[in-house]
Amino acid sequence: MENMERGTCVRFVPWTHQRDYLDIQPKSGCWSYLGQRGGRQTLSLQSPDCMLSGVASHELMHALGFVHEHSRTDRDKYITVLWENIWKDRVRNFEKFKTNSLDIPYDYDSVMHFGMYSYSEDGDPTIIPKRKNTQLGQRTGLSELDKMKINILYKCETLENY
């Protein structure tokens, strides 16, 4: 949460009486619903696998309404998805979503981008970047473009304040 608060106007406060809130639980796996659902909204951070700052940031960005970067409608200009290499029960994680890219360039370094071998069925790549020598995604924290997206979507005043 501190990672997300640095560089954005998003602030997390302890729940007291708010109608809408995140309930972070150590359920099975790392997951969140997409966007605000109303009322209590569960976000799962199973220990120890999900207790990395970048993994938590990824799930919190889902809760804030962001889909995977490689699910953008314009992604085919930047990556190739190798469908035949993806676990069959994980294909939906690679589908395109019609969303607003907020006029932000495609972000290979986004915490919301899967890596080259994510959900590989046989160890072969699942995503190939069209730009040479490009690493895909990371789980260390928000990229600069991730922060920009949050600040634009949440109509942050001036970025210098964050």
Side-chain angles (χ1 to χ4, degrees), residues 23-43:
D23 182 19
I24 301 173
Q25 297 285 328
K27 303 256 183 209
S28 179
C30 319
W31 54 266
S32 173
Y33 295 104
L34 182 61
Q36 183 179 0
R37 298 173 58 90
R40 181 175 80 183
Q41 181 169 328
T42 302
L43 183 150

Side-chain angles (χ1 to χ4, degrees), residues 7-134:
T8 77
C9 64
V10 171
R11 298 294 176 261
F12 296 95
V13 298
W15 181 78
T16 53
H17 63 282
Q18 296 87 350
R19 187 181 83 76
D20 300 333
Y21 63 98
L22 284 176
D23 182 19
I24 301 173
Q25 297 285 328
K27 303 256 183 209
S28 179
C30 319
W31 54 266
S32 173
Y33 295 104
L34 182 61
Q36 183 179 0
R37 298 173 58 90
R40 181 175 80 183
Q41 181 169 328
T42 302
L43 183 150
S44 175
L45 293 176
Q46 182 182 12
S47 185
D49 298 341
C50 307
M51 301 309 292
L52 302 168
S53 178
V55 174
S57 295
H58 179 98
E59 299 309 334
L60 287 167
M61 280 195 70
H62 278 317
L64 290 175
F66 294 93
V67 300
H68 295 130
E69 187 71 4
H70 56 272
S71 294
R72 289 172 49 148
T73 54
D74 63 348
R75 63 114 182 267
D76 294 335
K77 297 178 193 173
Y78 307 98
I79 62 167
T80 301
V81 176
L82 302 173
W83 298 98
E84 65 276 10
N85 297 340
I86 302 169
W87 289 346
K88 300 307 174 231
D89 64 338
R90 295 301 178 166
V91 168
R92 63 182 167 80
N93 287 315
F94 293 81
E95 293 173 351
K96 290 182 189 177
F97 277 83
K98 186 176 181 183
T99 59
N100 182 347
S101 66
L102 304 169
D103 294 323
I104 299 291
Y106 192 86
D107 187 7
Y108 290 105
D109 194 42
S110 174
V111 76
M112 298 305 290
H113 205 303
F114 282 177
M116 196 170 177
Y117 297 91
S118 294
Y119 297 112
S120 176
E121 188 171 61
D122 52 11
D124 289 333
T126 54
I127 305 174
I128 301 287
K130 292 191 175 180
R131 191 172 75 187
K132 301 261 189 247
N133 301 317
T134 299

